[in-house]
Amino acid sequence: MPKIFRRYRKDPLYPTYPRVRSFVIHRIAPLGGDSALLVDRLNRESDPMIRQALILALGEFTKDQLSDAGRQALIEPLAAIYRQTAESGLRGAAEWLLRHWGHEDRLAEIDHELIGQHPEGQSWYVNSQSQTMVIVHVPGDVQIGSPKSEPNRETGNVELLKTVKIDYSFAIAAHDVTVADFLKFLKSPNQYKPDEIHLAKTDGGAIDTRCPANGVSWYQAAAYCNWLSAEEKLQPCYQPNKDGRFAAGMQPFDDYLKRAGYRLPTEAEWECAARAGTSTSHYYGQADELLPKYAWYGANSAGHLWPVGLLKPNDWGLFDTLGNALEWCQDYFDHGDLAFVGKIDPSPVISGQIRVARGEKFLSELPNVRMARRDLKHPPESEDFILGFRPARTMQ
């Protein structure tokens, strides 16, 4: 079976069209594959993409197929990958399997050890709040939107397929900001704290502090990003309004896309990172039956948010980019130009003016849970319980 991974790795369409790889990941165990063969290949394999696929495939084996002892023997090798690999996708796979097997405390210990370290050539780092940031190195021309042939595509030009240039490197959080993360911000003495925050609304919202922080407005998300910048002594990307508040009239600095501080991702950055180089309707391929392995949505969420990182990541190690919480982006939406990706400018933010959100949510119906789907309903003051966010920053 591992030969299939290697053969497919050489396909010129890989990774833009990842259907076969995803099929193999999820079919080896149900078809009676030998877990010992996968473990042996994992120990000998050097290609990080194949190792990533092998780890995700091992997570599909039951205890009857891969014993407790067999799993225990893999804990230290997986922890070593999580601590040392330069590849964010491989690290994300190791993270998922360790969490899947109940070793979340070990992940937290390693993250704490890695705060402030950023070896050269590494495509991720752990920030001051133990959040993993995935680095996307100068992606250049990226395609966003969906082809007219994509099933369930939005009518008109809302998902128009187009090329956008991102000529700089950026980092984006591997996870949504959690309730626990946001509470640190709320409890800290700082000048960025917005007024009257209603965190983790209970109507379908967070069930514990590992869930995405929800009911957070765009203004509040921007305030969190400024606080995070201050924690790391980075230039802030946002300035408050004339009353010193993160509310209507606040605005990004003119050069905010060139500053090193934290901010909300642009819509183009979000889709680039969420797709992880793929061009299919989901980052793992097209198959609807695999969606519950990757996303919390209406069919499997039981009507509430779930702790981050429980389901499989994309190929760059980002979790929950589909489903769970809907994620704020930096851009505002111009209803006069449905084909436009979003408006990126430093003008003052206007209440009532729609800000784009991406990724769909835990209540979404299956046809809507797609990479190109755009939520164009929420103004920056919205505190809808479906809304969360993940920070990004320009790398210098």
Side-chain angles (χ1 to χ4, degrees):
M1 280 293 188
K3 291 181 179 179
I4 296 176
F5 289 127
R6 184 169 296 282
R7 185 163 62 247
Y8 185 61
R9 180 71 171 88
K10 296 177 181 179
D11 189 319
L13 290 177
Y14 182 86
T16 61
Y17 208 61
R19 286 178 172 181
V20 174
R21 177 173 172 271
S22 294
F23 179 85
V24 175
I25 287 171
H26 295 94
R27 293 296 183 268
I28 290 179
L31 291 175
D34 187 343
S35 62
L37 290 177
L38 268 68
V39 172
D40 178 67
R41 175 51 68 98
L42 177 64
N43 291 334
R44 294 185 292 110
E45 182 59 60
S46 60
D47 188 313
M49 290 297 292
I50 297 175
R51 299 189 80 199
Q52 179 180 341
L54 290 166
I55 290 171
L56 296 177
L58 284 168
E60 296 299 310
F61 283 78
T62 66
K63 287 189 176 181
D64 290 335
Q65 296 172 302
L66 180 57
S67 67
D68 286 338
R71 295 182 182 198
Q72 190 61 40
L74 284 168
I75 300 307
E76 287 309 312
L78 289 170
I81 290 171
Y82 187 70
R83 180 184 287 107
Q84 298 168 4
T85 184
E87 303 293 333
S88 61
L90 178 56
R91 186 177 194 262
E95 175 186 346
W96 173 75
L97 191 51
L98 286 168
R99 183 176 287 109
H100 187 59
W101 286 348
H103 296 278
E104 191 158 8
D105 289 346
R106 187 64 183 282
L107 294 171
E109 290 173 5
I110 295 172
D111 283 341
H112 185 73
E113 294 170 10
L114 294 173
I115 290 174
Q117 300 181 33
H118 189 186
E120 186 175 352
Q122 193 166 274
S123 61
W124 56 273
Y125 71 94
V126 178
N127 71 10
S128 62
Q129 305 304 308
S130 294
Q131 298 162 327
T132 295
M133 301 295 297
V134 171
I135 301 171
V136 182
H137 295 283
V138 195
D141 290 338
V142 297
Q143 276 205 322
I144 63 174
S146 61
K148 292 181 179 179
S149 60
E150 182 166 301
N152 305 308
R153 184 179 190 266
E154 188 80 18
T155 57
N157 290 329
V158 174
E159 296 179 19
L160 184 70
L161 190 64
K162 63 184 299 180
T163 299
V164 179
K165 182 181 288 294
I166 303 176
D167 57 2
Y168 53 89
S169 297
F170 68 93
I172 187 168
H175 300 284
D176 286 359
V177 169
T178 66
V179 171
D181 294 331
F182 207 76
L183 287 174
K184 290 181 186 177
F185 159 59
L186 294 182
K187 293 176 181 178
S188 68
N190 66 83
Q191 70 267 39
Y192 305 111
K193 196 172 297 182
D195 298 334
E196 298 181 358
I197 287 186
H198 305 289
L199 178 66
K201 294 183 178 180
T202 57
D203 294 338
I207 56 174
D208 68 36
T209 58
R210 297 170 300 164
C211 291
N214 68 306
V216 176
S217 73
W218 190 96
Y219 295 129
Q220 295 159 3
Y224 177 92
C225 290
N226 261 31
W227 169 77
L228 189 53
S229 297
E231 289 292 296
E232 300 188 8
K233 297 179 172 58
L234 299 172
Q235 281 183 304
C237 288
Y238 302 105
Q239 49 191 324
N241 64 18
K242 59 182 178 58
D243 297 320
R245 298 179 58 222
F246 283 76
M250 65 155 286
Q251 63 187 103
F253 285 94
D254 289 349
D255 60 346
Y256 73 97
L257 278 181
K258 296 182 179 180
R259 292 188 171 215
Y262 291 90
R263 54 179 171 75
L264 293 171
T266 69
E267 192 177 5
E269 290 170 346
W270 185 95
E271 189 165 339
C272 171
R275 284 190 177 280
T278 63
S279 60
T280 44
S281 59
H282 312 113
Y283 50 77
Y284 61 82
Q286 297 284 106
D288 289 342
E289 62 267 25
L290 293 182
L291 188 58
K293 300 283 188 179
Y294 294 86
W296 297 111
Y297 65 109
N300 68 341
S301 71
H304 59 75
L305 289 160
W306 286 79
V308 301
L310 294 183
L311 301 181
K312 288 186 176 73
N314 72 8
D315 278 353
W316 292 353
L318 274 71
F319 292 80
D320 300 300
T321 54
L322 285 175
N324 223 8
L326 190 64
E327 299 175 16
W328 286 116
C329 289
Q330 172 67 28
D331 317 39
Y332 76 83
F333 180 66
D334 182 355
H335 283 282
D337 185 2
L338 293 179
F340 203 88
V341 177
K343 299 289 187 181
I344 304 294
D345 67 42
S347 301
V349 180
I350 302 171
S351 290
Q353 185 179 61
I354 300 301
R355 311 302 290 201
V356 181
R358 299 296 298 266
E360 285 302 308
K361 55 192 178 296
F362 61 93
L363 296 176
S364 294
E365 297 180 356
L366 186 149
N368 292 335
V369 188
R370 297 176 297 106
M371 304 312 305
R373 177 80 175 179
R374 305 167 73 198
D375 186 283
L376 309 173
K377 304 180 183 71
H378 293 92
E381 67 271 20
S382 175
E383 296 179 358
D384 196 319
F385 65 84
I386 62 175
L387 288 164
F389 70 104
R390 69 179 75 216
R393 58 178 290 232
T394 302
M395 298 299 292
Q396 298 178 338

